[in-house]
Amino acid sequence: GKIALILFIKLDRWFRNIADYYRVQDILDKHKVNWLAIQEDYNTLTTSGRLSLNIRLSIAQNESDTTSDRIKFVFEGKKRRREALTGNLPLGYAIDTHKKIIQDENAHIIKDMFNHFITHQSIMEMLRHLKDTYGIQWRAISCRRALQNPAYIGTFYGIENYTEGIIDTDTFSRIQTMMQARRN
């Protein structure tokens, strides 16, 4: 009862598929909320107006699906070539010529972090060590995720040996076992 009208630029900016439109439109109808696309003209009161709306929604969904297919195709090609898909990398890695590489100036921090956990078996102790030694202030969950991140053995996107690992698989497996034991 607090919203009377929703304004948006174009229909395809609000809905990407017909199912979403009908789901939201049902809710809007129940609450007597109207909407207006300020750069497009819609008439949902007539049969031909509703047909036009469905055609436009179908076109918008097709464009979205086609874009998604193109992106998936590009990403699959990058994965086959072992290239970085995004610039979002865990500490210790960098991108060089589209490939993920070990970043020497930070890789030693990751090695130290893993070794420190093996020695002390304490996330809180590791947090103190990272802060005191490197000035890194992570939260406990960030440390836990780093210790469980298969990227550190070179596995990205579920693909083993995607790139060179900073940590050997034996060390990584040992830490996973330790963490599982602590959880239990």
Side-chain angles (χ1 to χ4, degrees):
K2 295 182 181 179
I3 299 172
L5 180 68
I6 297 173
L7 293 174
F8 51 90
I9 296 172
K10 291 180 163 188
L11 192 65
D12 66 353
R13 299 290 91 202
W14 193 24
F15 298 108
R16 295 299 181 152
N17 65 58
I18 297 169
D20 285 348
Y21 166 75
Y22 283 114
R23 193 170 26 258
V24 172
Q25 188 61 51
D26 187 46
I27 294 167
L28 295 177
D29 289 344
K30 287 177 184 171
H31 295 280
K32 297 179 177 42
V33 176
N34 293 310
W35 54 264
L36 177 65
I38 59 176
Q39 291 185 357
E40 297 172 324
D41 185 30
Y42 293 101
N43 177 2
T44 57
L45 300 176
T46 65
T47 303
S48 62
R50 287 189 297 274
L51 173 63
S52 175
L53 176 62
N54 280 315
I55 291 170
R56 289 181 184 182
L57 285 167
S58 293
I59 291 169
Q61 182 172 343
N62 182 62
E63 287 175 3
S64 179
D65 292 347
T66 301
T67 299
S68 176
D69 289 345
R70 277 192 221 116
I71 291 169
K72 286 176 188 170
F73 178 77
V74 168
F75 279 8
E76 289 306 314
K78 286 181 174 242
K79 286 178 186 178
R80 280 191 305 277
R81 294 185 302 273
R82 302 292 200 251
E83 293 179 359
L85 301 186
T86 69
N88 186 15
L89 298 172
L91 182 67
Y93 284 102
I95 297 174
D96 183 30
T97 333
H98 305 288
K99 302 277 186 181
K100 294 178 184 199
I101 61 165
I102 293 175
Q103 184 186 40
D104 291 332
E105 66 242 31
N106 289 325
H108 74 281
I109 296 171
I110 298 303
K111 289 177 183 177
D112 186 33
M113 183 178 80
F114 275 77
N115 290 329
H116 195 82
F117 185 80
I118 286 174
T119 303
H120 299 281
Q121 297 185 28
S122 168
I123 296 286
M124 298 313 289
E125 172 56 34
M126 191 173 64
L127 285 170
R128 278 191 287 282
H129 177 70
L130 288 174
K131 182 180 179 190
D132 294 345
T133 308
Y134 304 105
I136 295 174
Q137 292 188 348
W138 277 357
R139 297 179 316 179
I141 189 70
S142 299
C143 282
R144 205 172 283 110
R145 285 182 183 149
L147 290 171
Q148 295 172 323
N149 191 345
Y152 288 121
I153 55 172
T155 299
F156 284 87
Y157 320 113
I159 303 170
E160 293 179 5
N161 302 315
Y162 199 85
T163 191
E164 184 181 355
I166 296 173
I167 304 301
D168 64 84
T169 54
D170 290 338
T171 301
F172 187 79
S173 295
R174 187 172 167 198
I175 286 180
Q176 303 320 299
T177 303
M178 288 175 173
M179 292 179 75
Q180 185 62 42
R182 291 178 61 86
R183 264 187 297 243
N184 293 340

